Amino acid sequence: MNPALQGLITILFGVGGCVAYFYLSNLFLDKVLFPARGKNAGQNINRANMVRPWLFLAPALVALGLYLAYPVVETFRLSVTERLPGGASQFVGFENYRRMLAEDKFWEAMRNNMLWLLIVPAAATAMGLLVAQLTDRIKWGSFAKSLIFMPMAISFVGAAVIFKLIYDARPAGQSQIGILNAMWLEFDGGIGSIIILQIIPILIFAFFAVVVFYAAWITAGPVIKPNPHSQISTVFKALRIVAAAIFVWLGVLAALNVVDVATAQFDYGQPQTWLTIPFWNNFFLMVVLIWIQTGFAMVILSAALRGIPEETVEAAVVDGANPFQIFFKIKIPQIMGTIVVVWTTITIVVLKIFDIVFAMTNGQWETQVLANYMYDKLFRSNDWGVGSASAMVIMLLVTPILVWNVYNARKEMR
Amino acid sequence: MSNIAGTKSSLNWAVQISVVLLVVLWIFPTVGLFVSSFRTADQISSTGWWKALFPTEQSETLRAADPDDFAVQLDDGTWAVTGNLYEEGAQASISSWGTSSRDISAYVPGDIADLGDGETITMNETGDYVWTSVEQPSGRGQRVFVTATNPPEFTLENYDTVLGEGVIQSILIYAAAAAVVAVVVGFATKSVGLSNFKMAAYLSGIVVFLVLSLVYGLGTGQGGGQASDNMAKAFFNTLTVTIPATIIPITVAAFAAYALAWMDFPGRALLIAAIVGLLVVPLQLALIPLLRLHLQIGIGKGYLGVWLAHTGFGMPLAIYLLRNYMAGLPRDIIENARVDGATEYQIFTRIILPLSFPALASFAIFQFLWTWNDLLVALVFLIDSSGQTTVMTRQIVELLGTRGGNWEILATAAFVSISVPLIVFFAMQKYLVRGLLAGSVK
């Protein structure tokens, strides 16, 4: 049968079936089970109204339970069992986890995922905020926004093809068809190359290092020099110290990068196969996701910027604040809540990232990420134990955000 | 005050310029794919696509015609082969040429090159050549190296290869016809005073397009080979996955969202919290348990499985979006209806559903984009070893692997796959933005 026809029939059956279910089950409830007449009419109406929500909810609850809740439990069970020949399985405790932790590839995936987690949400949110602010007051802003928003509609696989064309490399001597290599070959080791490839990155890294050290200082400040007037709880003290430690670590990394870049020897005149350069290729993959997610961040932050009360900005203008002060000291604090939401939403996308890596490098050249590692284990090595264990790791990483979302949702409903 | 005004306008210019730069940076990659899909394999591999819009100078190796077939004996007894190096219709302008790979620009047009053994060759700027020989020439045609300026040249050939002969042409013609009809219908219904004239325009356009393609068919039906068979099939498979996987979750979720928004029952708050929690559960967890379940209960790998999976995975977002929207509808309308004796089912279908159209549209776009663009769910729940049920994303990954160098096929296939979401995106951007805002900012 023609698949298009088959699809059409399914739509008719699926939608018709759903509607028929809701209609008939309501009819059954009202006319047969608890008819609203006879001597129990009042009681029957009440009973029917108690059952009805569950009739409306039933298909959705089955779908949710079967496709999202049950797999969490079942994956956990699979992660602590081992498959035996013949379909049986045996409890092995944390053996699968131990085997997974012993694998280099797993740690590579963890490291890369952390890199992604660190960079993509930050970069996409920052770019989104920048575009939202810049387009806010110009006439053709909505047109510009819709073009920057466009990659949201493009599949990760499509984006992978688009960026493979950008990263394409031809042997030296042939004309390059990847724009990145074409630009790279323009560098010849002269003073221009040194400015662009070394001095500017050094400045960026140094600036970043200073910013995170400063952030570390601010975070740790109240713990080191306690303010006698305000007591902070031990939990927050601990959190502050952890955050400060992370900032310090980032700062040290950035400082080390300054040294790296300053002493780097570049391969001028040689076309580079960008996706095979270990460590740095991760960044070339991240660019793809940042390109897609910036539009998302921009749309939401732009709405938040519009929602800022005009008076606060006007008051700042009257007080003589310059545009930068208005942006950083007036606007940003007021949309902090939205920034956090955007950040966490992109974080979840990053944790599940699969298609981009699968299509562009398939985890070769040290670009493995957790979701692709899991796919490898489940469907290539057929190792359900370790595959499920790595799926549980992804779940574990998502859990804090899950708890935070539920907590906020409960707070709002009260 | 004048200097303040001055800084303002210069800042404004800086803002305008940086937005232009950002927009260019953002669309540059997609434009690259788009332009490449209209270039031949030779063009793609000889120059970067960003040069395709301008005349390019490129060096090529070409051959004169086969002397065994085309050599003519002249009156004086010598032999000559005449012709043009280029295929018909080419508009190259030769700036220099040579006969040896060591010196490919030894001559300019009009020069006569001595090939030795009494053979000479000469050519003019347009590639017309005269190759003369004292003896009867034999073997292959004379090789020449030319450096020529070629005007920008685009072709629909790749689309013929990927989609089948003539398909893209008929799609473009039907789309143009549909657009004309849509505009006419839009103006007509607007002047009559119909409030949703846009909807009427869209619908009439879609109907015209579908009728035209059903009546006249798409293309000549001549496939362009393996690539075209697979891609056309994958296109329809993707549609087959997408449409039910978009419509069914909406139907199911709308009822549930209504119950969560407007019915009172114990455990409602808990249920809403659970749905918020399930919003972020990674679907990776579901792969093995559900594949096993599908195999056990006999669904196996196939359309039914992938429809069910997409329904399940889309459900939390659908319920969340729709519930938020429905909860914001005015309470009076619903209570009045209840007082007037409407059943819950009637309230839902007659009042809530029509009022919730924007939210339904937002979710429909999300789900459509997500199912159309999905790779992982299709890989696990749909694509079996027979390869009959492949989808476009999978097909493209396959092309990336096997034909990593065939950029013309790859770019065209990728562009075909992203064109449908792009059309949906630009047509219904308003609803997409609204849905995003409802889904994230609370």
Side-chain angles (χ1 to χ4, degrees):
Chain A
M1 187 165 44
N2 190 331
L5 196 65
Q6 196 187 346
L8 205 66
I9 292 171
T10 316
I11 296 173
L12 289 181
F13 267 91
V15 177
C18 287
V19 172
Y21 158 78
F22 287 115
Y23 183 72
L24 292 177
S25 64
N26 268 286
L27 207 64
F28 180 73
L29 188 70
D30 288 332
K31 301 284 175 214
V32 183
L33 205 55
F34 299 121
R37 57 189 136 73
K39 66 176 190 296
N40 291 336
Q43 197 186 359
N44 272 357
I45 289 176
N46 282 343
R47 279 193 190 148
N49 282 345
M50 271 169 66
V51 177
R52 197 183 328 272
W54 300 104
L55 279 186
F56 274 60
L57 282 166
L61 287 186
V62 169
L64 283 174
L66 196 59
Y67 280 84
L68 288 165
Y70 156 76
V72 178
V73 181
E74 175 68 5
T75 302
F76 179 71
R77 193 188 69 80
L78 285 174
S79 77
V80 292
T81 55
E82 191 183 358
R83 272 200 296 173
L84 298 175
S89 60
Q90 179 194 6
F91 179 76
V92 292
F94 287 97
E95 171 65 17
N96 290 321
Y97 289 88
R98 201 192 55 70
R99 274 201 296 145
M100 178 178 75
L101 294 180
E103 268 189 52
D104 288 344
K105 216 51 185 163
F106 169 76
W107 288 108
E108 180 194 313
M110 269 307 255
R111 183 203 67 178
N112 290 342
N113 251 51
M114 290 301 137
L115 265 182
W116 280 74
L117 219 51
L118 218 58
I119 291 166
V120 176
T125 312
M127 286 301 292
L129 191 57
L130 180 73
V131 178
Q133 168 66 20
L134 290 180
T135 52
D136 198 26
R137 289 288 155 82
I138 58 178
K139 274 188 193 138
W140 53 289
S142 59
F143 175 69
K145 276 195 276 191
S146 100
L147 287 178
I148 290 182
F149 191 34
M150 182 190 70
M152 274 291 281
I154 295 176
S155 59
F156 288 149
V157 174
V161 175
I162 290 175
F163 275 83
K164 270 226 163 177
L165 182 58
I166 288 180
Y167 298 148
D168 189 89
R170 301 272 148 144
Q174 287 185 23
S175 100
Q176 295 296 328
I177 65 166
I179 185 80
L180 201 58
N181 264 316
M183 273 161 43
W184 169 249
L185 292 183
E186 295 293 313
F187 292 118
D188 51 4
I191 185 76
S193 315
I194 291 176
I195 290 176
I196 294 177
L197 293 176
Q198 294 191 296
I199 296 179
I200 291 178
I202 286 176
L203 289 179
I204 292 174
F205 278 124
F207 176 73
F208 181 73
V210 170
V211 168
V212 286
F213 280 132
Y214 182 65
W217 172 245
I218 290 181
T219 342
V223 184
I224 299 167
K225 263 197 297 182
N227 185 342
H229 301 296
S230 69
Q231 288 298 312
I232 42 174
S233 71
T234 359
V235 179
F236 274 97
K237 263 185 194 165
L239 275 179
R240 273 175 180 274
I241 288 178
V242 170
I246 292 173
F247 282 135
V248 169
W249 176 66
L250 285 177
V252 170
L253 279 188
L256 287 178
N257 265 319
V258 170
V259 179
D260 273 357
V261 175
T263 56
Q265 292 295 318
F266 293 105
D267 223 358
Y268 292 116
Q270 284 303 312
Q272 302 292 317
T273 47
W274 304 104
L275 292 177
T276 62
I277 308 170
F279 187 70
W280 296 105
N281 48 10
N282 284 303
F283 295 91
F284 293 115
L285 296 182
M286 287 178 212
V287 166
V288 183
L289 193 59
I290 295 171
W291 180 69
I292 293 175
Q293 293 292 332
T294 295
F296 163 75
M298 177 203 67
V299 163
I300 290 176
L301 294 172
S302 157
L305 282 177
R306 290 265 163 91
I308 291 177
E310 203 55 36
E311 304 89 69
T312 56
V313 178
E314 277 164 15
V317 173
V318 170
D319 288 347
N322 67 36
F324 291 97
Q325 285 173 326
I326 292 176
F327 182 65
F328 284 106
K329 299 205 166 151
I330 308 292
K331 289 186 172 176
I332 297 265
Q334 294 194 63
I335 58 166
M336 210 55 206
T338 314
I339 293 181
V340 170
V341 169
V342 170
W343 196 293
T344 48
T345 311
I346 301 178
T347 302
I348 293 167
V349 176
V350 169
L351 280 171
K352 302 185 209 171
I353 191 68
F354 165 76
D355 312 39
I356 293 178
V357 177
F358 183 79
M360 288 184 85
T361 62
N362 200 6
Q364 287 168 289
W365 308 296
E366 298 181 25
T367 54
Q368 190 65 293
V369 289
L370 279 176
N372 196 48
Y373 173 80
M374 187 209 72
Y375 185 85
D376 259 356
K377 286 289 161 197
L378 289 183
F379 298 103
R380 295 222 176 83
S381 340
N382 236 339
D383 188 343
W384 288 9
V386 173
S388 302
S390 52
M392 286 314 288
V393 171
I394 301 180
M395 183 67 210
L396 205 67
L397 291 172
V398 173
T399 307
I401 299 175
L402 188 153
V403 173
W404 170 253
N405 280 358
V406 171
Y407 171 76
N408 277 342
R410 301 278 300 184
K411 205 167 67 182
E412 257 161 40
M413 292 202 3
R414 267 188 221 116
Chain B
M1 289 308 273
S2 64
N3 62 336
I4 293 178
T7 50
K8 260 208 172 139
S9 87
S10 72
L11 188 69
N12 189 26
W13 273 109
V15 167
Q16 302 257 4
I17 291 169
S18 28
V19 173
V20 171
L21 286 179
L22 277 170
V23 168
V24 169
L25 188 68
W26 242 252
I27 62 170
F28 188 82
T30 321
V31 174
L33 189 78
F34 181 67
V35 171
S36 296
S37 73
F38 292 104
R39 305 178 78 206
T40 62
D42 283 345
Q43 287 173 321
I44 291 180
S45 58
S46 65
T47 51
W49 65 265
W50 54 94
K51 292 180 186 157
L53 306 171
F54 312 102
T56 49
E57 184 161 272
Q58 78 189 83
S59 301
E60 286 176 285
T61 309
L62 298 168
R63 266 183 197 285
D66 191 339
D68 294 335
D69 298 334
F70 292 96
V72 192
Q73 191 162 26
L74 302 177
D75 298 339
D76 61 359
T78 60
W79 294 77
V81 181
T82 57
N84 191 298
L85 287 172
Y86 291 98
E87 283 167 26
E88 228 166 280
Q91 294 172 333
S93 138
I94 296 170
S95 57
S96 63
W97 57 282
T99 52
S100 145
S101 60
R102 270 165 297 168
D103 189 4
I104 61 170
S105 49
Y107 308 100
V108 293
D111 285 357
I112 298 172
D114 190 354
L115 300 169
D117 299 335
E119 292 187 26
T120 62
I121 188 165
T122 178
M123 68 178 74
N124 65 11
E125 278 182 2
T126 56
D128 291 325
Y129 61 89
V130 182
W131 171 25
T132 59
S133 173
V134 179
E135 304 290 315
Q136 176 170 12
S138 63
R140 303 179 65 188
Q142 173 64 38
R143 195 164 58 144
V144 283
F145 301 90
V146 296
T147 304
T149 315
N150 297 314
E153 198 187 338
F154 298 103
T155 169
L156 287 174
E157 224 173 82
N158 300 329
Y159 286 90
D160 286 343
T161 318
V162 168
L163 291 173
E165 201 76 39
V167 174
I168 185 73
Q169 286 86 343
S170 23
I171 288 179
L172 290 177
I173 293 169
Y174 300 162
V180 169
V181 171
V183 168
V184 170
V185 170
F187 272 112
T189 46
K190 194 181 180 185
S191 61
V192 171
L194 200 64
S195 62
N196 44 3
F197 63 93
K198 272 187 187 166
M199 183 69 94
Y202 276 133
L203 281 180
S204 60
I206 293 170
V207 168
V208 167
F209 185 84
L210 288 181
V211 167
L212 280 175
S213 26
L214 283 179
V215 173
Y216 294 104
L218 288 172
T220 56
Q222 301 275 305
Q226 190 67 23
S228 122
D229 290 353
N230 288 342
M231 214 49 204
K233 195 168 67 191
F235 186 91
F236 282 108
N237 289 348
T238 310
L239 261 186
T240 315
V241 170
T242 309
I243 294 175
T246 306
I247 295 177
I248 294 173
I250 294 184
T251 324
V252 174
F255 282 93
Y258 174 64
L260 288 174
W262 288 107
M263 291 178 174
D264 244 336
F265 58 93
R268 187 173 80 154
L270 207 66
L271 215 51
I272 296 173
I275 285 165
V276 172
L278 289 176
L279 266 176
V280 299
V281 168
L283 66 87
Q284 270 91 353
L285 267 78
L287 302 181
I288 283 288
L290 287 177
L291 184 60
R292 246 169 40 140
L293 186 78
H294 280 180
L295 292 176
Q296 273 168 9
I297 61 177
I299 297 175
K301 281 186 158 200
Y303 288 117
L304 188 56
V306 84
W307 288 327
L308 288 175
H310 276 309
T311 303
F313 297 145
M315 196 54 64
L317 183 67
I319 298 180
Y320 181 70
L321 276 184
L322 295 177
R323 191 206 83 91
N324 280 352
Y325 191 87
M326 288 177 187
L329 293 176
R331 176 174 286 274
D332 296 352
I333 305 182
I334 291 146
E335 283 182 352
N336 282 347
R338 278 197 185 134
V339 170
D340 289 347
T343 66
E344 294 285 344
Y345 186 81
Q346 282 169 333
I347 296 176
F348 175 71
T349 49
R350 305 263 171 84
I351 300 175
I352 301 284
L353 269 193
L355 285 179
S356 307
F357 177 77
L360 295 173
S362 308
F363 175 73
I365 299 170
F366 274 125
Q367 183 74 0
F368 176 81
L369 291 180
W370 151 242
T371 46
W372 185 280
N373 289 341
D374 158 76
L375 171 67
L376 186 57
V377 176
L379 275 181
V380 175
F381 293 106
L382 175 64
I383 298 163
D384 53 20
S385 48
S386 74
Q388 287 302 304
T389 50
T390 183
V391 292
M392 272 200 287
T393 44
R394 164 71 188 173
Q395 201 59 32
I396 291 167
V397 171
E398 199 107 289
L399 285 176
L400 266 176
T402 54
R403 303 203 189 192
N406 286 18
W407 273 111
E408 74 287 359
I409 302 282
L410 199 50
T412 312
F415 195 76
V416 167
S417 133
I418 67 176
S419 60
V420 175
L422 283 184
I423 292 169
V424 171
F425 172 82
F426 281 115
M428 310 194 68
Q429 201 178 5
K430 189 175 77 184
Y431 294 108
L432 185 64
V433 170
R434 218 182 268 182
L436 273 184
L437 293 176
S440 320
V441 189
K442 274 296 296 166

